[in-house]
Amino acid sequence: MPRVLLIDSDQQHAERVREQLGFHAVEVEVIPDPRQAVAQLKRDSADYAVVILNVSSAALPWADTLAKLQESCLQPGAYPPPLFLCTSDTKRPPEFELRIERMGARYVYEG
Amino acid sequence: MYMRDSLTPIVEKVGLLIAERKHLRSAGFHFRIVHRFRMPGCSDCICGEEVFAVFLVYRGREYCLRLTLAMRILFDYLVRHSRFAQSARQIELGIRADDFYKDNGKNADGHVALTRKITRSAIRVYIIRVHQALSLAFQEAGISIDTKSVLIVHETTGTEVLYQMKCTHTVTHIDLTSPNAQPLRGGIAGQFGR
């Protein structure tokens, strides 16, 4: 069963995502704090197929956070590293999406 | 029963990413190798072509690997023989024995080959540089990955190490445009096919 790490401070949203992915036989582990997630990925990045980062809050520097999370997966032997998906329930400008995609992650808007 | 709601795009993207990762795990990354100076009418790689450029292909975009001539030849060789892990000595012999590399770029003017003598000791250095070039391309593509999982360095029970690429590739050809283009050595083009 593929495992997904969901970094989401919105507990209700995280629960809904966990439930939906559960229907598709995807196991979801939720971590609310990105810093905790960095530590977790440094330990066990090979355990996860995908890392989902909820970037809905406009207050945080998501590009830096994403870069730190990606760096924490850079370990010898962990091949391929987990792939990243950024998700947002607020509409963002195309530049935001492009920046994320240039960092090798995918972006999805929960319209 | 699964219902379509605002989270449907997430579910769909996660499915896509899981499939993408599964493919990367089984096949590795994909590279495009461009060979220049192909004789018009030839369908496969033949002697006299030049290993012109190498691109990492990722999510519909291409990222050029900054490789020198010797490194392009080495990369081409490793990718074409990716089923086998080979020592520096085996790689040296393989390249030396292959007319394709001996005559690299010779179709351009019919006389001078654009090639390098690749020795066993140089291969170790080139491998490090290829890792660096891969690292730059992966960085540009936003891929966090240890390049040693793409160009793998296998330890052996002895002192020798073996090198192997884990990847898929396609070769794209650019035809020679000279109106007097003739297959190298005047033979039938297919005769020298690889």
Side-chain angles (χ1 to χ4, degrees):
Chain A
M1 188 188 245
R3 286 185 78 197
V4 166
L5 179 65
L6 171 60
I7 304 158
D8 194 344
S9 56
D10 180 344
Q11 205 176 337
Q12 265 189 327
H13 179 265
E15 206 42 57
R16 282 179 59 220
V17 174
R18 191 211 295 263
E19 199 176 297
Q20 285 285 349
L21 288 172
F23 287 138
H24 293 265
V26 175
E27 189 186 335
V28 179
E29 185 180 330
V30 181
I31 292 183
D33 183 3
R35 280 170 300 185
Q36 258 180 290
V38 167
Q40 174 66 15
L41 288 171
K42 274 185 183 160
R43 274 196 303 272
D44 287 320
S45 68
D47 279 6
Y48 304 104
V50 177
V51 177
I52 306 175
L53 178 63
N54 185 351
V55 296
S56 298
S57 162
L60 292 167
W62 289 118
D64 293 346
T65 306
L66 178 60
K68 277 182 194 147
L69 289 165
Q70 287 177 324
E71 275 168 25
S72 61
C73 298
L74 192 59
Q75 293 159 26
Y79 179 83
L83 300 177
F84 282 78
L85 174 65
C86 294
T87 176
S88 173
D89 56 13
T90 50
K91 190 85 179 155
R92 297 300 188 93
E95 292 76 21
F96 182 82
E97 187 172 342
L98 284 173
R99 188 167 180 199
I100 281 174
E101 289 191 350
R102 253 185 245 121
M103 295 175 75
R106 288 189 190 261
Y107 174 80
V108 69
Y109 166 57
E110 301 167 34
Chain B
M1 179 73 186
Y2 170 62
M3 302 210 354
R4 195 166 180 90
D5 70 1
S6 65
L7 297 183
T8 303
I10 296 182
V11 173
E12 288 172 350
K13 285 278 185 194
V14 168
L16 176 71
L17 288 171
I18 288 170
E20 183 182 349
R21 190 167 181 270
K22 208 178 278 179
H23 183 263
L24 284 176
R25 175 173 279 174
S26 60
F29 284 91
H30 188 74
F31 293 92
R32 181 190 302 282
I33 301 178
V34 181
H35 287 178
R36 188 163 68 153
F37 306 138
R38 180 176 67 173
M39 283 298 159
C42 297
S43 60
D44 209 351
C45 305
I46 59 162
C47 300
E49 293 175 5
E50 182 202 4
V51 183
F52 184 48
V54 179
F55 296 93
L56 164 70
V57 183
Y58 186 63
R59 289 183 183 166
R61 285 188 59 192
E62 293 189 343
Y63 304 88
C64 190
L65 268 67
R66 299 167 208 180
L67 302 172
T68 61
L69 170 61
M71 284 151 66
R72 288 199 300 277
I73 289 173
L74 176 64
F75 195 94
D76 188 274
Y77 176 85
L78 286 172
V79 164
R80 284 162 177 274
H81 298 82
S82 60
R83 282 185 60 207
F84 307 101
Q86 297 176 70
S87 68
R89 180 79 178 134
Q90 287 173 310
I91 295 168
E92 180 194 11
L93 282 175
I95 292 175
R96 199 191 291 167
D98 195 327
D99 283 348
F100 182 82
Y101 300 115
K102 213 183 286 174
D103 294 332
N104 186 57
K106 213 168 181 178
N107 279 351
D109 68 358
H111 304 291
V112 184
L114 187 67
T115 193
R116 289 281 181 276
K117 193 178 173 195
I118 297 174
T119 60
R120 182 176 52 166
S121 54
I123 284 169
R124 296 195 188 104
V125 178
Y126 291 145
I127 292 286
I128 294 168
R129 292 182 188 162
V130 171
H131 275 135
Q132 288 167 345
L134 282 169
S135 178
L136 287 172
F138 284 132
Q139 209 176 312
E140 202 183 330
I143 305 166
S144 304
I145 194 163
D146 180 4
T147 56
K148 287 199 175 78
S149 50
V150 181
L151 173 47
I152 305 166
V153 181
H154 297 281
E155 301 288 337
T156 62
T157 48
T159 52
E160 223 172 31
V161 289
L162 307 177
Y163 306 104
Q164 185 178 24
M165 287 292 294
K166 182 182 169 68
C167 67
T168 56
H169 78 284
T170 47
V171 178
T172 302
H173 285 96
I174 301 173
D175 280 353
L176 191 65
T177 51
S178 161
N180 302 319
Q182 292 290 322
L184 191 65
R185 296 187 216 147
I188 301 161
Q191 192 179 326
F192 301 110
R194 303 171 72 239

